[in-house]
DNA sequence: ACAAAAGATAGCAATTTTGCGATAATTGAA
DNA sequence: TTCAATTATCGCAAAATTGCTATCTTTTGT
């Protein structure tokens, strides 16, 4: 037997729900922003080092298609591990910095 | 039939091999450093916000044991996705910064 | 225009990370 | 000490990322 759907029944719940959606949206935007930041950082480091994707790939022991994927603004799979391999290969140190948001 | 092992046969190859080992070691150290930096950042943000691991976990929709794992200096699985969820939940913006190494 | 180099995209297996419950260990307050 | 809250650790399934090959598209140089 199918149970009745739970519905939002009062103003407070409605407001909470709206806030939750707002928060979820803010998170989505934040994730898109940081993904793009990572992609552009990799592109910037590689081009400043005057390397092709293939050359950078060889340096860190992977393939060109992987580098291409990492430089895609929409790629969502960035890991600290990969970022560290790249920055270390190019003789840079990576740091994580946070900024307060008002 | 088992083929003969390829051996390093000249000085240049030996030097290349030494350099490779040095580079690999430098990468290992760099990875350990950035992993610890991520772990400490999460701990710092959480404690400054006066939250328990359980409370932060609820904020980002996961469990306490996950937060505990993320705050372990030796944890190697940090992703930008998780770091972004945490920083966004605590109303901070994450940035990736690189420093030249001499 | 042509060829070569560089970069983008697709698909899939293998590896890795995450999510999560259970439980042990630690810390803090009364 | 005792209890409650907090944190650490373990094990495993599910989900996500990586590695890699092949192929297509774009860019560059002659």
């Amino acid at each position: 037997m199918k149970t009745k759907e739970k519905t939002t029944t009062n103003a407070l719940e409605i407001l909470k729900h709206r806030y939750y959606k707002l928060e979820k949206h803010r998170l989505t935007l934040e994730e898109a922003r940081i993904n793009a930041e990572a992609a552009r950082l990799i592109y910037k480091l590689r081009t400043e080092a005057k390397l092709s994707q293939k050359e950078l790939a060889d340096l860190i022991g992977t393939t060109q298609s992987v580098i291409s994927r990492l430089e895609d603004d929409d790629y969502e799979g960035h890991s600290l591990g990969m970022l560290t391999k790249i920055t270390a290969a190019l003789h840079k140190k990576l740091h994580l910095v946070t900024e307060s948001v008002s």
Side-chain angles (χ1 to χ4, degrees), chain A:
Chain A
M1 172 184 154
K2 194 164 188 295
T3 56
K4 193 177 177 184
E5 283 291 323
K6 185 174 183 182
T7 52
T8 302
T9 55
N10 63 51
L12 181 56
E13 283 303 312
I14 291 171
L15 290 176
K16 275 188 184 171
H17 187 243
R18 282 190 190 161
Y19 183 69
Y20 173 72
K21 285 210 296 187
L22 183 70
E23 285 292 283
K24 206 171 69 174
H25 186 234
R26 189 168 63 81
L27 173 59
T28 301
L29 288 178
E30 228 357 61
E31 287 177 334
R33 185 191 62 76
I34 195 71
N35 286 335
E37 183 169 326
R40 286 166 192 173
L41 174 65
I42 293 171
Y43 175 80
K44 176 171 171 288
L45 292 175
R46 177 178 66 81
T47 53
E48 282 179 358
K50 299 197 190 312
L51 296 175
S52 68
Q53 291 182 344
K54 174 75 165 63
E55 289 168 329
L56 176 56
D58 288 345
L59 269 183
I60 67 169
T62 185
T63 55
Q64 175 266 326
S65 67
V66 170
I67 304 297
S68 175
R69 185 163 56 193
L70 294 174
E71 292 183 0
D72 182 344
D73 272 7
D74 295 330
Y75 181 60
E76 297 181 342
H78 292 287
S79 65
L80 279 199
M82 187 60 88
L83 281 167
T84 303
K85 276 187 199 169
I86 292 174
T87 53
L90 303 181
H91 294 273
K92 308 267 181 179
K93 257 178 145 173
L94 179 66
H95 290 286
L96 305 170
V97 175
T98 57
E99 170 196 358
S100 290
V101 174
S102 49

